[in-house]
């Protein structure tokens, strides 16, 4: 009887086991949370009991509740209790619960150390197994430290295979948490690679692969062992791991890649396991830079088979691997374009994403429109935001890659709502601005549709451009009032501050336009309504938190209020208002700034035109920036107010890099300037409709573009095919263009190349911008060149230093030793003019030599040090052997032969720039300075002292500074008779004249003064103020250059260098 | 490395979760929800790889999953794992379950979550693949089940008072 009672109570206690709990929860769908909370109360009661079976049952239920998202950490101590049960059943439950909910900050974990140690050494292999499994999940640094030895014992002395295998695997976790244990344990781990049991072996491979992934270099020494395993093992799991490991190792050791090719190709041919085949292909790709073209072709073939497979998984993986090949062998992937385009239509998002990645490398001038059109269709259809964002990013990437080199039709580009038009671009698209304005107005009108998602994606920047374009070219708007209304919508206030500021300013411009258009009307209600609209809406912006917006808005608000007063008196104000914004904007190239020196001591913010007269520069170089009639005639405001307005306006202009006014006179010069006809801007494609009702127009463009191309193709056959090819090859290697057949597609508007870097202007200072607009007008043929030739590190230049540089790169020959050590060849590197391509992953530096305008005897050499090896470089010292003429400026107190410490260290793959100042006495002769760079190469386990010799080549050209000059000043200079002449003839120069000029401008820092047909005058100045004038004439392939300079030696050397430049091409 | 193994049904109800990296409970639930959201909207005939589970790891991580009847088996792995290999592993795991439960169905997983965990422990340990041979796995599981049974037999008999513990 008594027994029965006991049994009954036990049964009741066991009433609710895991199954009952689950069942209960399923039966309480409506009040699940409530039911569970009662269950948790029960569990708490159960945990208070002494019976371990009850406790274990409770813990088991807690594990289930943990899965449902309940925090069970409060029971951590009870879990430890259950873990320490002697019974396997309970122990297992305890360890399972622990592995689910213990983590590093669980404090009771330190109580488990001894229990786990006991379990690890338990005679029952399953106790050990359970402990190892649990430990693998919740191991902490402390546990790892305390138990590392016990685990090592298991690894080496364990008799049971399974236990051994587990303990090998757990070593990885121990190493992670307690890295000190790696070194002593490594030999044992390595031993296990050759363990007779394949399971233990595969565990060891697994662990080493994980370790090698973190730091591949340290495991290169195991390569022979793995190689043996790879050729002997038949276990695909192990093979895959090894092959993956090799994939990580081959980039470090090219010889390994070569050695692997054969067994890998064998595997590729023989294996039936797709997973293995795929990994082989991946590893061949990883080592592809050293592997033969043949093996890459084999890989691409195999991948094609994968992609064509009906199994979506294989298709996906094929595309994934393709994208890796694309990086190094774009050509071999491009031939499978059809297949990849096909994948864009796949119903599977993962596959489309992968195909998108590949597309980036597939785009060419020919197919850009087609591809983007396709992508736009997908944007419309896309459901998930991730995919749509990805699509938009890709479209932008694709269109803007390599500085828009593939965009041949800019009208098309404007019509794409999402394609990137950085604010500057439209400025110089003045050929198509009517069109652009219409588009932008529509865009503004629809802005409210876009803002939601735009803001998040940062695409709202396009509104910045759109607003500005609409304001500036408001005369082309069909319905300025409507656009004005759109610009002043309250929603605008949610846009970022800088965009609002542009909105406000341009609303004022639009306002002026509206007034102008209403002027003739006898009925003045529209004009007055517009003023009222402005007055109603502007206060919103006056309250803006953004200072810029506030300032502009309040300024304009006052102006409008005043105008309204005048309107009420029936005064005609439109002329005056429009005069506020008079003037045309011309394109400015960012590089143009560099062609203009900053006048000495010129630091204040007064407009260049004011300080101009004191300067010895020719008068007309700087355009006048202030419109003369900026003051409305009827204004009764006092001078102070006016000054304030002007100041605000200047402020605005200062902040708007594209707001560069050309005075009427400079406008004229621009039109008359010789050589203007060579600015490609003027080719207007009239087949393009100039008015577009809505946004999505890309279809039409694609068609038009096709027609245009066909026409062009027909024309091309007739003429100039040769010429074009030469021109292209002359442009340099920077264009890694697609297949050759695409080469002969000409851009619809060459202007794109000139404008592509427009936004960079933003980073230069105010006064320079004003001056550059003019200069650019004259130099645009050359700027074409500049953009193609130079892409590196422009922005690094300090604006105060007027520089022209020559680029010299040096290479260092180096031998590769097996494994990780680099030894330094110490060989002398060559220094050349122009660019040298680097192939080797070695430390390389690039020099820029810049004359310092502020001090005629100083030259600044910027050296970019790039660490291309895998080791850490430190303690770099830069030293140059001074010559009589040139000296490296050293800090005071140091001897004439001391080196300068480079103030930084270089981790692998990092580059940094250091500047060194040289004092030069005479600049009339070129010279070479010998120098040494000493540095310490630091590896994991060693550090070596290395030396690198180099030469700095100071050409005479590097002392010249591009200085603009006006034809009248130029004529005076020549007439003065102070200059001595010299001349040179260049034979066999086979390039268009404007390219020739561009080349001289670019390489030798000249600027074109005037150009008439095949004759041009050019000018430059040295840092010490020598004038250099050139008269360049061409007939056929002969170019003659007559030159004059006040220093004949300098002139002779400069001419020699020019000759040198042209003999190289 | 395998970062997490999630099993949930067609409605996103978790049936087994196993993280090899610590996440707090609410985060775990969020990961499950997100993963379910990603996986459930995919057709059965699309590929089994998914990128961009933002919660676990970054771009290096992939979701590899299989869908069986009412259950999704999702493995979150990094690039050191072979995609196709993991797919095979899921298959092995499911076949093992099938063998251990004799025609496994969702209900088995619901009521025997602990057992499923024990089976999984024989396949993956601490995020690394331990065993891929189904027969080996099943053998190990069976041995341990027998041990448990014998222990409970001893226990229950003891409760009934017929047998006393050997001392």
């Amino acid at each position: 009887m008594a027994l029965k009672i006991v049994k009954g109570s036990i049964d009741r206690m066991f009433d609710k086991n895991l199954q009952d709990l689950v069942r209960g929860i399923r039966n309480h769908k409506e009040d699940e949370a409530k039911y569970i909370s009662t269950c948790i109360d029960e569990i708490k009661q159960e945990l208070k009991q002494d019976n371990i079976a009850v406790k274990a049952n409770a813990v088991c239920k807690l594990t289930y509740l943990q899965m449902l998202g309940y925090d069970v950490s409060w029971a951590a101590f009870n879990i430890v209790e259950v873990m320490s049960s002697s019974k396997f059943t309970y122990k297992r439950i305890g360890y399972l619960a622990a592995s689910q909910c213990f983590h590093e900050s669980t404090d009771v974990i330190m109580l488990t150390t001894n229990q786990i140690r006991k379990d690890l050494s338990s005679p029952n292999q399953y106790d050990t197994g359970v402990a190892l499994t649990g430990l693998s999940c919740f191991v902490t640094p402390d546990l790892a430290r305390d138990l590392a030895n016990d685990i090592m014992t298991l690894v080496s002395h364990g008799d049971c295979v399974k236990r051994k295998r587990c303990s090998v695997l757990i070593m990885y976790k121990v190493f992670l948490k307690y890295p000190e244990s790696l070194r002593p344990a490594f030999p044992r781990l390595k031993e296990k690679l050759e363990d007779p049991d394949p399971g233990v072996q595969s565990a060891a491979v697994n662990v080493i692969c994980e370790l090698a992934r973190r730091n591949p270099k340290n495991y290169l020494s195991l390569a022979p062992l793995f190689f043996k395993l790879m050729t002997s093992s038949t276990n695909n799991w192990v093979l895959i791991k090894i092959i993956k490991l090799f994939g990580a190792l081959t980039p470090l050791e090219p010889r390994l890649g070569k050695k692997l090719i054969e067994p890998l190709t064998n595997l590729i041919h023989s294996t039936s396991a797709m997973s293995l085949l795929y990994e082989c292909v991946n590893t061949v790709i990883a080592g592809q830079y050293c592997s033969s073209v043949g093996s890459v072709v084999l890989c691409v073939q195999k991948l094609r088979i994968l992609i064509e497979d009906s199994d979506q998984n294989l298709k996906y993986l094929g595309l994934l691997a393709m994208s890796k090949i694309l990086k190094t062998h774009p050509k071999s992937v491009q031939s499978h374009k059809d297949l990849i385009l096909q994948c864009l239509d796949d119903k599977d998002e993962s596959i489309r994403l992968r195909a998108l990645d590949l597309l980036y490398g597939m785009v060419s001038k020919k197919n850009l429109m087609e591809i983007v059109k396709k992508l736009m269709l997908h944007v419309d259809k896309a459901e998930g935001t991730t995919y749509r964002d990805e699509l938009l990013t890709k479209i932008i990437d694709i269109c803007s890659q390599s500085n828009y080199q593939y965009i041949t039709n800019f009208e098309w580009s404007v019509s794409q709502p999402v394609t990137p038009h950085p604010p500057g671009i439209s400025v110089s698209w003045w050929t198509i601005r009517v069109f652009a304005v219409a588009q932008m107005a529509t865009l503004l009108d629809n802005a409210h549709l876009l803002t939601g998602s735009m803001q998040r994606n940062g695409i709202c920047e396009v509104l910045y451009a759109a607003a500005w374009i609409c304001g500036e070219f408001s005369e082309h708007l069909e319905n300025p009032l409507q656009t004005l209304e759109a610009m002043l919508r309250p929603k605008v206030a949610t846009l970022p501050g800088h965009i609002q500021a542009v909105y406000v300013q341009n609303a004022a411009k639009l306002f002026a336009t509206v007034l102008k258009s209403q002027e003739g009307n006898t009925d003045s209600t529209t004009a007055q309504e517009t003023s009222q609209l402005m007055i109603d809406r502007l206060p919103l912006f006056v309250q803006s938190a953004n200072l810029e917006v506030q300032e502009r808005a309040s300024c304009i608000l006052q102006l409008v209020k005043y105008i309204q007063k005048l309107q009420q008196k029936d005064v005609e104000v439109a002329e005056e208002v429009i005069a506020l914004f008079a003037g045309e904007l011309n394109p400015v190239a960012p590089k143009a700034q560099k062609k203009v020196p900053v006048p000495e001591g010129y630091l204040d913010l007064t407009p260049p035109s004011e300080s101009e007269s004191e300067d010895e520069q020719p008068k007309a170089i700087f355009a006048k920036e202030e419109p003369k009639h900026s003051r409305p005639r009827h204004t009764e405001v006092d001078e102070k107010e006016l000054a304030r307005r002007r100041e605000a306006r200047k402020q605005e202009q200062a902040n708007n890099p594209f707001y560069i006014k050309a005075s009427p006179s400079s406008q004229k010069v621009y039109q008359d300037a010789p050589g203007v006809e060579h600015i490609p801007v003027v080719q207007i494609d009239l087949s393009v409709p100039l008015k577009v009702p809505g946004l999505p127009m890309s279809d039409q463009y694609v068609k038009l573009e096709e027609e245009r191309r066909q026409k062009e193709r027909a024309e091309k056959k007739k003429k100039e095919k040769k010429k074009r090819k030469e021109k292209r090859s002359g442009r340099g290697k920077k264009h890694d263009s697609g297949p050759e057949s695409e080469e002969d597609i000409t851009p619809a508007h060459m202007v794109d190349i000139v404008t592509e870097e427009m936004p960079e202007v933003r980073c230069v200072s105010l006064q320079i911008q004003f001056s550059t607009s003019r200069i650019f007008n004259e130099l645009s043929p050359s700027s074409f060149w500049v953009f193609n030739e130079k892409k590196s590190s422009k922005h690094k230049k300090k604006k105060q230093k007027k520089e022209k540089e020559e680029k010299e790169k040096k290479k260092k020959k180096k031998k590769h030793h097996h494994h990780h050590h680099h030894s330094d060849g110490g060989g002398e590197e060559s220094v050349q003019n122009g660019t040298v391509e680097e192939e080797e992953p070695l430390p390389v530096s690039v020099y820029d030599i810049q004359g310092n305008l502020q001090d005629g005897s100083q030259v600044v050499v910027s050296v970019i040090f790039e660490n291309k090896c895998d080791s850490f470089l430190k303690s770099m010292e830069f030293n140059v052997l001074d010559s009589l003429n040139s000296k490296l400026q050293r800090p005071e107190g140091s001897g004439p032969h001391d080196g300068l410490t480079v103030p930084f260290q270089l981790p692998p793959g990092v580059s940094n720039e250091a500047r060194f100042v040289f004092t030069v006495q005479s600049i009339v002769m070129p010279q070479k300075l010998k120098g040494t760079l000493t540095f310490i190469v630091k590896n994991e386990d060693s550090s070596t002292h290395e030396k690198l010799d180099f030469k700095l080549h100071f050409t005479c050209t590097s002392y010249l500074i591009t200085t603009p000059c006006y034809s009248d000043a130029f004529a005076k200079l020549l007439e003065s008779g102070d200059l001595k002449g010299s001349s040179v003839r260049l034979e066999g120069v086979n390039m268009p004249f404007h390219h020739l000029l561009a080349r001289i401008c670019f390489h030798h820092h000249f600027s074109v003064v005037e150009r008439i047909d095949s004759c041009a005058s050019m000018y430059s100045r040295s840092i010490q103020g020598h004038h250099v004038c050139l008269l360049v004439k061409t007939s056929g392939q002969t170019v003659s250059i007559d030159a004059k300079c006040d220093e004949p030696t300098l002139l002779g050397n400069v001419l020699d260098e020019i000759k040198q430049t042209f003999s190289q091409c | 490395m395998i970062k997490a193994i999630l099993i949930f049904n067609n409605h996103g109800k978790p049936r087994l979760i196993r993280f090899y990296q610590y996440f707090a409970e609410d985060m775990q639930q969020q990961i499950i929800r997100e993963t379910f959201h990603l996986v459930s909207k995919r057709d059965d005939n699309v590929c089994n790889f998914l990128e961009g589970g933002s919660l676990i790891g970054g771009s290096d991580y992939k979701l590899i999953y299989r869908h069986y009847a009412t259950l999704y088996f999702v493995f979150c792995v990094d690039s050191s794992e072979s995609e196709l290999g993991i797919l095979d592993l899921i298959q092995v795991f499911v076949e093992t379950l099938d063998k251990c439960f004799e025609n496994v169905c969702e209900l088995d997983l619901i009521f025997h979550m602990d057992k499923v965990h024990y089976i999984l422990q024989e396949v993956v340990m601490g995020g690394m693949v331990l065993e891929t041979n189904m027969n080996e796995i099943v053998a190990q599981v069976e041995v341990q089940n027998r041990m448990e049974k014998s222990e409970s037999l001893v226990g229950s008999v003891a409760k009934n008072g017929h047998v006393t513990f050997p001392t």
Side-chain angles (χ1 to χ4, degrees), chain A residues 133-151:
Chain A
T133 313
L135 186 60
S136 72
C137 293
F138 58 77
V139 62
T140 63
D142 286 345
L143 281 179
R145 188 194 57 224
D146 296 339
L147 297 171
N149 263 330
D150 303 80
I151 291 166

Side-chain angles (χ1 to χ4, degrees), chain A residues 597-610:
Chain A
V598 179
E600 274 174 51
Y602 184 62
L603 285 167
D604 59 333
L605 276 173
T606 45
S609 51
E610 283 169 41

Side-chain angles (χ1 to χ4, degrees), chain A residues 99-295:
Chain A
S99 68
Q100 288 291 73
C101 63
F102 280 15
H103 51 95
E104 281 193 14
S105 49
T106 308
D107 43 9
V108 294
I109 231 169
M110 58 193 193
L111 303 175
T112 61
T113 318
N114 277 325
Q115 179 59 41
I116 296 172
R117 181 173 287 143
K118 210 173 110 196
D119 289 335
L120 288 184
S121 52
S122 155
N124 181 344
Q125 60 153 314
Y126 293 100
D127 283 354
T128 316
V130 163
L132 283 171
T133 313
L135 186 60
S136 72
C137 293
F138 58 77
V139 62
T140 63
D142 286 345
L143 281 179
R145 188 194 57 224
D146 296 339
L147 297 171
N149 263 330
D150 303 80
I151 291 166
M152 290 320 138
T153 320
L154 279 178
V155 170
S156 42
H157 304 300
D159 42 353
C160 160
V161 168
K162 193 212 159 189
R163 208 152 42 172
K164 227 183 202 173
R165 195 186 296 179
C166 293
S167 49
V168 170
L169 277 185
I170 207 171
M171 277 167 95
Y172 175 64
K173 294 278 177 171
V174 172
F175 297 152
L176 271 192
K177 299 286 177 184
Y178 181 59
E180 287 86 342
S181 61
L182 175 58
R183 206 169 276 274
F186 194 70
R188 276 184 209 168
L189 183 59
K190 199 175 148 187
E191 230 168 67
K192 296 295 154 205
L193 281 178
E194 294 177 289
D195 198 274
D197 178 71
V200 176
Q201 198 184 44
S202 106
V205 169
N206 213 335
V207 169
I208 289 183
C209 288
E210 286 295 338
L211 288 171
R213 238 166 67 83
R214 296 179 167 253
N215 191 358
K217 220 170 54 191
N218 294 351
Y219 299 89
L220 269 176
S221 59
L222 293 179
L225 192 57
F226 277 117
F227 194 81
K228 207 172 88 190
L229 275 179
M230 185 177 82
T231 40
S232 60
S233 176
T234 51
N235 180 339
N236 280 353
W237 264 98
V238 172
L239 277 176
I240 287 173
K241 283 279 172 195
I242 293 175
I243 288 166
K244 266 192 177 285
L245 175 66
F246 278 132
L249 295 183
T250 41
L252 302 173
E253 179 51 270
R255 287 189 303 176
L256 184 62
K258 279 190 195 105
K259 202 163 176 211
L260 282 171
I261 285 292
E262 202 203 313
L264 285 181
T265 15
N266 286 346
L267 273 175
I268 290 176
H269 283 300
S270 63
T271 185
S272 59
M274 278 298 181
S275 48
L276 186 55
L277 172 99
Y278 173 69
E279 294 308 335
C280 288
V281 168
N282 251 337
T283 298
V284 173
I285 295 166
Q288 61 183 294
Y289 61 90
C290 57
S291 60
S292 62
V293 183
S295 59

Side-chain angles (χ1 to χ4, degrees), chain A residues 362-379:
Chain A
M362 308 251 128
V363 169
S364 67
K365 291 190 173 105
K366 205 187 252 171
N367 58 19
L368 175 85
M369 284 195 191
E370 181 200 341
I371 289 176
V372 173
K373 186 183 140 200
K374 207 162 193 179
L375 294 180
M376 290 305 293
L377 280 179
H378 283 295
V379 174

Side-chain angles (χ1 to χ4, degrees), chain A residues 424-425 427-428 587-590 658 754-762:
Chain A
I425 280 201
V427 179
S428 41
V588 184
F658 310 104
V754 183
T755 58
E756 64 206 10
E757 293 181 29
M758 287 299 291
E760 273 187 35
V761 169
R762 263 186 277 195

Side-chain angles (χ1 to χ4, degrees), chain A residues 496-538:
Chain A
H498 66 286
I499 298 176
Q500 280 187 54
V502 173
Y503 263 67
V504 171
Q505 187 70 24
N506 287 288
K509 293 182 198 167
L510 280 173
F511 174 61
T513 319
V514 174
L515 286 189
K516 178 91 195 300
S517 64
Q518 294 300 325
E519 194 79 306
N521 270 353
T522 44
D523 179 19
S524 61
T525 44
T526 320
Q528 289 190 6
E529 270 167 18
T530 317
S531 305
Q532 195 53 47
L533 176 76
M534 292 286 279
I535 291 169
D536 287 347
R537 299 283 178 87
L538 277 173

Side-chain angles (χ1 to χ4, degrees), chain A residues 963-1064:
Chain A
T963 315
C965 183
Y966 265 74
S967 49
D968 42 355
F970 189 77
K972 265 185 202 153
L973 197 61
L974 289 178
E975 281 163 15
S976 68
D978 302 336
L979 308 181
K980 293 163 187 71
S982 173
S983 66
V984 68
R985 279 173 82 81
L986 310 169
E987 301 287 347
V989 177
N990 208 352
M991 62 171 78
F993 189 54
H994 62 278
H995 280 190
L996 179 105
L997 293 183
R999 199 163 256 242
I1000 296 176
C1001 287
F1002 170 62
H1003 286 294
H1004 300 285
H1005 314 169
F1006 278 87
S1007 62
V1008 178
V1009 179
E1010 209 169 356
R1011 184 185 156 184
I1012 301 157
D1013 299 331
S1014 57
C1015 185
S1017 52
M1018 304 178 92
Y1019 176 78
S1020 184
R1021 238 179 102 197
S1022 76
I1023 51 169
Q1024 292 181 356
H1026 306 283
H1027 302 282
V1028 188
C1029 308
L1030 301 184
L1031 184 64
V1032 186
K1033 286 181 215 156
T1034 179
S1035 62
Q1037 296 202 337
T1038 313
V1039 178
S1040 69
I1041 302 177
D1042 293 314
K1044 283 196 170 173
C1045 176
D1046 36 14
E1047 176 52 68
T1049 329
L1050 175 69
L1051 181 62
N1053 286 318
V1054 169
L1055 289 181
D1056 283 348
E1057 283 161 20
I1058 293 178
K1059 209 169 173 179
Q1060 181 83 21
T1061 309
F1062 285 96
S1063 66
Q1064 277 167 2

